[in-house]
Amino acid sequence: MGNNIRNTLLAIVAIGLLGACNSTGKLTRRYKSIKYATSGKMDSLIKVSGYAVTGDAVEQAKPKSIFDLNAEAQAELIKQIGIKETDNAKFVSALSSSLSPKSTGGIDVLDLTRFQKRIVISVKKLKHHPADRINMIDVTLSLPEGTKLLSCNRLMTEYQTLEFGKLNYSNTASASLTGNAGSGFSSVLTNGGSTNRTLVDADGNAFKNEGTGSTGTNTFSNTSVNGSTNGLSSTTTGSLGLTATGTGSRTFAEEVMLRQRIVGLQASISKNDLNLFQNGGLGIDLSGNIIADIVFEIKESPNTERIISFTDLLDIAGKANPADKLKIKDFILIYPGLIKDVEADLKFNGEYRWVKDGDRTISESDDVVSLISGNGFTEDKVNLIPANILKPKMWTISIPVKGGELPLEISLPTVGSSGKIIFNSATEARNFIAWLKASYTTIPESKTLGTSGHVLVLPAGATLNKSSLDGLKLNIY
């Protein structure tokens, strides 16, 4: 019997030592347990929608100067200009001039088929459980046929970061056993543990919590003031004359800062699809807005118009210049010929972190998690450009004739025919009307304007006189 008692005492000592020296992280775990699932109805967990607003104007290529070159190229340019230009004024002028190729004086093209839009993607969690969160979102914006996605210039996210403070956890454990073998036996088992779990705010002030457990022959107490202390004691006496003692101690501490936010956002373009991938981290819910600036072209059914621009209508004193002093520039305006809205499809793949248990605590280390992933589709399309704004506003000028009014025309030397005078600015059209009224008496019989061979063409039955010029009307083309 003595051997049995001795073995029992030694086993108790070993168990006490193992319990004292074993510590496991509590706060730094991502979850307590996890299961993976797939769903074909992610639309019931996550809602993704989008809309487009006008972005910044598409940047045009800027003229190059000496400051756009590297140091070696700048030195070589200065050397070459110094060889060519001996006059100081011309040397400085050459250094400050543009390096871009100069215009040949041909017809400029105004291409209005390229657009820049700001796409706002809204990601929303549909289940209102605080511990649940969207863990990953992968959104695809598909542009329609007839368009071409050129670039994604800028990505942004809009979130709010909340600072909860600092969460501390520490654990200290020890065990000891004394046995006295005589006519009976005596043993004392002590398993003392100190468990402190402290939640403090951002200023380091602790939240206070107190509680007391039950007492009995074998006693258990739990007192929590900025933490908790647990104790277990048991005493048995006898006399077998055997003494055994074992001790073990280990301290384990954790500290987690609960204010970190890291959001990974990536964009890629494949054919005509813009893919926006966003991955969260510990404690991060991806509900919020994703903002992307994109540039795309509409090349289906383009329309072209010949635009006329008049400059130097007035002299320095503000008086109307004679007809031969005008400067006239032809433009080719290209714009989309579509008669329907340009709309993009929106779909997504998401990962939803459903907390089935452990949702009462801020720390995620005690969460029992089900990670649900699957695809979703948004029925509402993203309207990139309404059809009614695809055609730019243009203006013509009409002059009274017998039985009505007809537009003024101008001969186009480069094509050998005449066409309507079309303005892409109402201000320019009004300025030309004002010039006609002020200087019609100086217009030669040939109706020649400027020095490029342009001729003002009046419709049949129209004449240039005060009465007809007072009847000039500005029309939207």
Side-chain angles (χ1 to χ4, degrees):
M1 177 177 178
N3 290 335
N4 291 336
I5 294 175
R6 182 183 61 185
N7 293 338
T8 300
L9 294 175
L10 293 175
I12 294 173
V13 170
I15 293 172
L17 292 175
L18 290 174
C21 299
N22 184 28
S23 297
T24 304
K26 302 294 183 182
L27 303 179
T28 52
R29 296 184 300 188
R30 296 183 182 275
Y31 47 78
K32 182 178 180 181
S33 65
I34 190 169
K35 291 183 179 181
Y36 298 88
T38 57
S39 173
K41 297 181 178 180
M42 290 302 290
D43 310 79
S44 62
L45 298 174
I46 303 172
K47 181 180 180 181
V48 175
S49 58
Y51 61 91
V53 296
T54 302
D56 299 331
V58 179
E59 283 194 21
Q60 304 294 328
K62 296 179 180 178
K64 297 290 184 182
S65 69
I66 189 172
F67 301 105
D68 297 305
L69 306 178
N70 58 33
E72 292 79 5
Q74 288 179 2
E76 182 62 25
L77 179 62
I78 293 172
K79 178 182 176 181
Q80 295 298 325
I81 293 177
I83 295 173
K84 183 179 178 181
E85 301 290 352
T86 57
D87 182 77
N88 287 339
K90 292 182 179 180
F91 177 78
V92 173
S93 177
L95 280 180
S96 60
S97 63
S98 171
L99 303 179
S100 301
K102 293 181 172 58
S103 173
T104 59
I107 298 176
D108 291 335
V109 176
L110 297 178
D111 190 350
L112 301 184
T113 62
R114 180 172 294 192
F115 300 86
Q116 177 157 319
K117 290 290 182 177
R118 176 160 295 174
I119 308 298
V120 181
I121 305 295
S122 175
V123 180
K124 182 180 180 182
K125 181 179 70 175
L126 295 181
K127 301 296 183 182
H128 301 291
H129 302 299
D132 293 357
R133 58 181 170 85
I134 301 171
N135 193 56
M136 182 274 291
I137 195 74
D138 191 359
V139 180
T140 300
L141 183 77
S142 300
L143 272 65
E145 293 185 5
T147 64
K148 183 178 180 181
L149 181 59
L150 300 177
S151 66
C152 178
N153 297 341
R154 180 167 52 179
L155 291 175
M156 296 178 288
T157 58
E158 288 187 359
Y159 289 99
Q160 183 179 16
T161 299
L162 303 178
E163 184 172 337
F164 295 107
K166 184 169 63 177
L167 189 64
N168 293 309
Y169 177 89
S170 63
N171 181 37
T172 302
S174 63
S176 65
L177 176 67
T178 301
N180 181 17
S183 58
F185 67 88
S186 173
S187 66
V188 178
L189 172 63
T190 303
N191 184 2
S194 173
T195 301
N196 298 317
R197 189 179 182 90
T198 306
L199 181 64
V200 299
D201 60 19
D203 297 324
N205 300 315
F207 295 102
K208 189 174 182 181
N209 180 35
E210 296 185 0
T212 302
S214 60
T215 61
T217 303
N218 292 327
T219 63
F220 172 80
S221 66
N222 179 6
T223 302
S224 176
V225 180
N226 298 335
S228 63
T229 302
N230 302 306
L232 177 65
S233 65
S234 178
T235 302
T236 306
T237 60
S239 56
L240 291 176
L242 175 65
T243 300
T245 302
T247 62
S249 178
R250 183 180 180 181
T251 299
F252 181 84
E254 293 178 275
E255 183 175 292
V256 179
M257 298 300 295
L258 299 181
R259 61 179 180 182
Q260 185 179 11
R261 171 175 283 283
I262 301 175
V263 178
L265 180 59
Q266 305 171 23
S268 61
I269 294 176
S270 176
K271 295 183 180 179
N272 236 22
D273 293 343
L274 173 66
N275 180 255
L276 301 172
F277 176 81
Q278 193 171 20
N279 197 17
L282 185 64
I284 298 174
D285 182 19
L286 295 181
S287 295
N289 289 338
I290 305 173
I291 301 173
D293 287 353
I294 64 172
V295 177
F296 60 95
E297 290 180 328
I298 303 176
K299 290 300 185 183
E300 183 179 347
S301 306
N303 289 334
T304 60
E305 294 290 350
R306 194 92 172 213
I307 302 297
I308 304 297
S309 176
F310 296 91
T311 57
D312 288 356
L313 296 172
L314 304 177
D315 60 17
I316 298 177
K319 295 182 180 180
N321 270 324
D324 60 347
K325 297 295 184 182
L326 301 186
K327 291 184 179 179
I328 304 172
K329 184 70 177 177
D330 295 341
F331 295 89
I332 298 297
L333 180 65
I334 305 175
Y335 63 93
L338 299 178
I339 58 174
K340 60 181 179 181
D341 294 352
V342 180
E343 298 178 320
D345 292 322
L346 196 62
K347 58 184 178 181
F348 69 93
N349 177 270
E351 192 175 77
Y352 190 86
R353 190 181 190 274
W354 174 35
V355 180
K356 303 171 70 173
D357 191 20
D359 57 323
R360 295 181 61 186
T361 59
I362 295 175
S363 171
E364 295 186 343
S365 59
D366 59 349
D367 290 355
V368 177
V369 174
S370 179
L371 204 59
I372 306 170
S373 60
N375 297 321
F377 183 77
T378 302
E379 293 184 1
D380 296 333
K381 295 180 180 291
V382 179
N383 193 325
L384 299 177
I385 305 177
N388 61 348
I389 68 169
L390 283 174
K391 181 181 178 181
K393 288 185 178 180
M394 294 173 282
W395 288 264
T396 61
I397 299 173
S398 61
I399 189 170
V401 295
K402 187 177 181 179
E405 58 185 37
L406 291 173
L408 292 176
E409 296 187 359
I410 195 169
S411 65
L412 305 171
T414 53
V415 297
S417 62
S418 64
K420 297 175 184 177
I421 304 179
I422 302 175
F423 301 85
N424 69 337
S425 164
T427 300
E428 285 196 21
R430 292 191 187 97
N431 290 341
F432 186 69
I433 291 176
W435 178 84
L436 277 176
K437 291 181 177 180
S439 59
Y440 72 95
T441 57
T442 67
I443 297 176
E445 189 175 346
S446 63
K447 307 294 190 298
T448 301
L449 303 178
T451 59
S452 302
H454 292 83
V455 176
L456 178 66
V457 179
L458 299 178
T463 58
L464 286 180
N465 53 47
K466 187 176 184 307
S467 175
S468 62
L469 292 177
D470 286 341
L472 291 178
K473 185 184 297 184
L474 185 63
N475 306 300
I476 295 179
Y477 177 64

